[in-house]
Amino acid sequence: MSWFERSTFWKGLIGACLFSGSLACAQSIVAEENIVMEKIVYRDEMFRTTPEGLSKIRSNITPEVYTSGERYFPVMLVETADFKALDSAFIARMFNEEGFKENGVYGSVRDYFIESSNGQFKPTFDIYPIKLPNNFSNYNSDSKFILPSIDSLVERSDFKSHASMYGNVIPFIILHPTSKEEANKYDRYFFNHMDALKNSTGRIYSKNGYSFNSYAFVSQKAEKKPNATSTKDVAMLGAFIHEFCHVLGLSDLYSTNEDGYATIGPLPYDVMALGLRNGNGGYPPTFSAFERESVGWLTPTEIANPDSVYVLQALSKMQAYAVSNPKYPNEYYLIEYRPAVGFDSKIKNSSYSGKQGKNGVFIWYIDYDARVFSSNKTNDDVNHQRVEMRSVLSQNQEYFTGFNFINNNGNASVEGIFNVVFDGNDRVCFTVNRSKTLDKCPDIASSSSEAESSSSVASSSSLAISSSSVEYSSSSSFGTIGLLGHRLVPGMQVQLSHGILNVKIPMSGKKTLRFYDAIGNMVGMHSFVEQSASVDISGWNRPVFVRLDVNGRLIFAKRVATLMK
């Protein structure tokens, strides 16, 4: 739950219970099929602008606050006189350790965001133990609990030495020392949530020259384990991630039916819904293509050519297709491929959800409205879900039709996707022409060429440049470089000289060169962040196919002849 929802509750709603590790539970009333949720009345004054870190979808505004690069965030691990904190070294590992696997989780909080962003966002969470001198009941409001914790934090020498890395107005996580339902007994707003001190206490809080505002408030202890001291009773990994996603700017995607049950929305498919409980909370699904687009990690490729064979890589490769309403560009469908790997491997095993998911090709419907999203009412209207899972195509479901729009009588450019062919966990292929046959995915050379050609349609204007502006040459007997595709980056240089492939590309971000043999096996990879790189391919003694991605977006694809004469 985010700070937008901290408004007036409907009177007379007895025993209502929010569904997730991120939400309040007035009573322990949870059914496997139906999760009772509090109904909340929104007032006009509760509407907020888009949070920092969240872009306006499909605009030219680039998010830049919290969602890219190496970022650092303070985490206050608080204990009181009557509730002890969990071991700080364990919490530090759970938040930061690469490949952390204890307590049935797939990885650490940091691992989750690195995987979701394909390395574009690498957060580090600095854990600071804080001890408040009185019982928890003495700190029964945000200001009474959080502000004394901050006062203690800013006196620490280790905080002072790191503070310059946190930004001018510091976003933070505060972990209270009991379970969420126990905390809720002391204050009705003491459920897991995201808020801003400007709203909860009336001001951005400054102390000793440091300023604080956005925060995630999360329990340390597992549900119904208020007095736990063992790290085996730590709260769900998904709860920590869900609330921190609010700090990054994401909205809740759960919804309720008319009886107040959480039976609507992309329940097991999204970390901002019931997905935070997948695999008992240890395998929250990675960001969807929509969320990756929201924070600036991915630009979907618009489907435009009805005669093409479309190759879709796994979402981990930062590729997705879009079918947009030509009369309202913020209403669109996204097509992504989610194999059962990593954090996404437990979509079919969601706790607290009677609706289990499955892996495959996801068809999402998006109707983005900044006002609705910024007020955290994304899926509040049960008859108009603005982020909705329309279909999941598996090996036994080979098509989807029904790209229907509601805004301005828009018409989809394609009828549907057909002939879906799965090629292991790496990619799927499909057509948008019902009559076009497809028995298998094209080989890697032709499929990459196709992907380049189609992806250039949706890429930014800086990429919509004729290849005549690209400089390339070959000055070696090793062979020639042929351009596959015609939309590249101005000023880019590609040169093969004496077996050394030299690439210069004047773009910022993570760049990855991948090399494939003739039958599609990857034989090499080189990543770099600089604007140029040199790779020795002289010893391979065979033709290779070269792909270059920048921030997960395909920029060019080439076949390079490296055979020795």
Side-chain angles (χ1 to χ4, degrees), residues 1 5 9 13 15-19 23-26 35-40 184 188 191 254 256 260:
M1 173 178 281
E5 294 185 307
F9 296 108
L13 185 64
C17 177
L18 291 179
F19 74 87
L23 302 173
C25 195
I35 294 87
V36 183
M37 298 174 62
E38 289 170 312
K39 293 186 177 180
I40 299 171
N184 193 232
R188 66 172 181 165
F191 43 78
Y254 57 83
T256 63

Side-chain angles (χ1 to χ4, degrees), residues 72-297:
Y72 296 84
F73 301 89
V75 178
M76 287 180 277
L77 184 69
V78 183
E79 71 173 49
T80 58
D82 51 345
F83 290 108
K84 301 301 181 183
L86 295 180
D87 179 65
S88 60
F90 172 86
I91 297 297
R93 292 177 55 227
M94 186 176 182
F95 271 77
N96 297 293
E97 183 176 279
E98 181 179 356
F100 181 80
K101 300 294 183 185
E102 293 185 25
N103 292 343
V105 306
Y106 176 73
S108 65
V109 177
R110 174 179 165 89
D111 285 340
Y112 174 87
F113 288 103
I114 291 174
E115 184 168 317
S116 288
S117 68
N118 194 24
Q120 296 177 66
F121 176 50
K122 297 180 178 180
T124 295
F125 301 93
D126 293 332
I127 310 300
Y128 297 100
I130 301 292
K131 186 170 183 177
L132 297 180
N134 300 317
N135 287 342
F136 190 76
S137 59
N138 291 82
Y139 307 102
N140 59 344
S141 71
D142 279 358
S143 60
K144 290 180 180 179
F145 183 78
I146 297 176
L147 301 190
S149 299
I150 292 176
D151 292 346
S152 178
L153 174 70
V154 298
E155 297 296 335
R156 296 178 60 105
S157 59
D158 51 355
F159 169 80
K160 294 176 184 178
S161 66
H162 287 79
S164 62
M165 300 187 298
Y166 300 141
N168 294 327
V169 180
I170 300 172
F172 62 97
I173 299 173
I174 185 163
L175 305 180
H176 71 75
T178 186
S179 61
K180 64 186 184 68
E181 70 275 2
E182 180 70 17
N184 193 232
K185 296 177 182 178
Y186 301 97
D187 186 281
R188 66 172 181 165
Y189 291 129
F190 271 14
F191 43 78
N192 293 351
H193 64 271
M194 174 266 176
D195 207 333
L197 291 174
K198 187 175 181 179
N199 304 298
S200 62
T201 68
R203 69 191 191 280
I204 294 176
Y205 187 66
S206 295
K207 184 74 173 182
N208 291 1
Y210 306 109
S211 296
F212 301 82
N213 192 31
S214 298
Y215 65 88
F217 179 97
V218 194
S219 60
Q220 296 176 34
K221 314 291 178 61
E223 295 163 7
K224 302 180 182 179
K225 299 284 187 178
N227 299 301
T229 58
S230 171
T231 55
K232 293 184 181 299
D233 295 320
V234 68
M236 294 184 299
L237 180 81
F240 300 126
I241 290 171
H242 175 101
E243 296 306 337
F244 185 68
C245 286
H246 281 311
V247 176
L248 300 182
L250 297 185
S251 301
D252 286 316
L253 297 182
Y254 57 83
S255 185
T256 63
N257 62 15
E258 60 185 4
D259 298 318
Y261 291 102
T263 57
I264 301 168
L267 299 183
Y269 294 105
D270 203 289
V271 70
M272 304 313 292
L274 283 178
L276 64 87
R277 290 184 176 271
N278 291 355
N280 294 317
Y283 286 72
T286 55
F287 277 25
S288 67
F290 170 71
E291 288 156 346
R292 297 177 195 220
E293 180 184 17
S294 299
V295 296
W297 297 338

Side-chain angles (χ1 to χ4, degrees), residues 295-370:
V295 296
W297 297 338
L298 178 150
T299 300
T301 299
E302 189 73 29
I303 289 179
N305 186 350
D307 295 322
S308 293
V309 172
Y310 285 89
V311 178
L312 177 61
Q313 297 184 90
L315 185 60
S316 60
K317 303 299 184 183
M318 306 304 276
Q319 187 193 8
Y321 286 106
V323 177
S324 302
N325 181 346
K327 296 184 178 181
Y328 188 82
N330 284 347
E331 183 184 22
Y332 53 106
Y333 288 82
L334 284 172
I335 305 165
E336 64 181 40
Y337 174 41
R338 295 276 196 111
V341 297
F343 284 102
D344 293 332
S345 62
K346 300 293 186 181
I347 288 174
K348 60 185 178 182
N349 182 18
S350 178
S351 305
Y352 281 44
S353 173
K355 179 181 179 180
Q356 297 300 310
K358 57 185 177 180
N359 293 86
V361 177
F362 291 3
I363 313 293
W364 294 84
Y365 169 76
I366 310 294
D367 186 9
Y368 178 75
D369 181 284

